[in-house]
């Protein structure tokens, strides 16, 4: 498998397979939303779009980066999501980088959204598809966020069937600027505990596939039929 690692701004063509990586924190949060019972995660183009969807469907749950705001039910923090019951709900998510990256490749035949918590399941789906080329969209830091790049490189190795030691990749992520900012409380709408949640390798057995449904880009859980041992 040939892997390409690109920032959002570097995308020029529609890839056949795209894996959009946001470790801290969009696609760790999305995975936890599913674990808390969510049926679907809709990726909103803007905060205004998220609020408009909420106005049309008051039972949907809205989630954003940063501090709490009127009209939004949750913030983009896995730690702060732990006591939330999302059974059967649709979550509308808008973040600074993760959701932007997925929407940038919405026309790709296969779009997976990933972080360390769903790394092996994501790699498993890539193995099943036997993809010859995969574009990893490194969403943070204009394509240079160390936690996203480390996760993307780890998934790429596992997708190729290699017995990859996850330790060095997790350590790179733990030493990243994003991890430091979360630990120091620099980012609003977060918890220092977010870092531990984001670095929990293969916490969930499912991957997350994004597709357009009724004009909305949404995530759903997908479980690979077969997985290689880690």
């Amino acid at each position: 498998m040939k892997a390409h690692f690109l920032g959002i701004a570097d995308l020029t063509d529609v890839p056949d397979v795209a894996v959009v990586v946001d470790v801290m924190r969009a696609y760790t949060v999305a995975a936890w939303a599913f674990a808390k019972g969510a049926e679907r995660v809709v990726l909103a183009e803007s905060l205004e779009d998220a609020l408009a969807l909420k106005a049309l469907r008051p039972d949907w749950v809205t989630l954003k980066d940063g501090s709490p705001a009127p009209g939004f039910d949750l913030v983009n923090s896995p730690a702060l999501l732990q006591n939330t019951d999302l059974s059967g709900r649709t979550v509308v998510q808008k973040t600074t980088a993760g959701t932007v990256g997925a929407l940038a490749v919405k026309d790709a035949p296969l779009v997976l959204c990933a972080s360390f918590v769903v790394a092996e399941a994501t790699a498993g789906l890539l193995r099943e598809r036997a993809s010859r080329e995969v574009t990893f969209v490194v969403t943070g830091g204009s394509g240079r966020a160390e936690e996203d790049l480390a996760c993307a490189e780890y998934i790429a190795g596992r997708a190729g069937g290699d017995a990859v030691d996850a330790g060095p990749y997790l350590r790179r992520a733990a030493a990243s600027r994003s991890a430091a900012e979360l630990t120091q409380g620099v980012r609003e709408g977060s918890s220092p505990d977010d870092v531990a949640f984001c670095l929990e390798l293969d916490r969930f057995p499912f991957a997350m596939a994004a597709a357009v449904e009724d004009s909305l880009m949404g995530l759903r859980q997908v479980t690979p039929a077969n997985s290689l041992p880690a």
Side-chain angles (χ1 to χ4, degrees), residues 39-194:
E39 179 180 344
R40 179 170 65 144
V41 175
V42 169
L43 308 177
E45 295 265 5
S46 66
L47 295 176
E48 292 76 16
D49 286 348
L51 291 174
L53 289 170
K54 176 74 170 181
L56 290 172
R57 302 171 179 85
D59 58 319
W60 285 14
V61 177
T62 44
L63 182 155
K64 65 179 283 292
D65 269 340
S67 58
F72 286 89
D73 304 297
L74 301 169
V75 292
N76 191 46
S77 163
L80 299 179
L81 198 64
Q82 293 306 300
N83 295 323
T84 303
D85 182 5
L86 297 172
S87 298
R89 308 290 290 276
T90 291
V91 175
V92 180
Q93 185 181 37
K94 171 66 180 84
T95 70
T96 306
T99 58
V100 175
L103 289 164
V105 292
K106 66 181 180 181
D107 293 327
L110 177 63
V111 179
L112 303 177
C113 295
S115 62
F116 279 113
V117 298
V118 293
E120 184 59 29
T122 304
L125 280 178
L126 295 174
R127 290 193 297 267
E128 285 182 9
R129 183 178 173 105
S131 304
R132 299 181 67 178
E133 291 197 32
V134 177
T135 296
F136 288 86
V137 183
V138 180
T139 60
S142 299
R144 296 185 296 274
E146 190 64 16
E147 71 280 6
D148 293 340
L149 185 58
C151 184
E153 291 174 352
Y154 175 73
I155 293 172
R158 290 295 296 136
D162 297 335
V164 183
D165 179 6
Y169 299 91
L170 292 168
R171 287 192 289 273
R172 284 168 57 190
S176 68
R177 176 178 177 179
S178 294
E181 290 177 349
L182 290 171
T183 301
Q184 295 164 8
V186 172
R187 297 188 182 185
E188 295 184 347
S190 68
S191 164
D193 293 333
D194 283 343

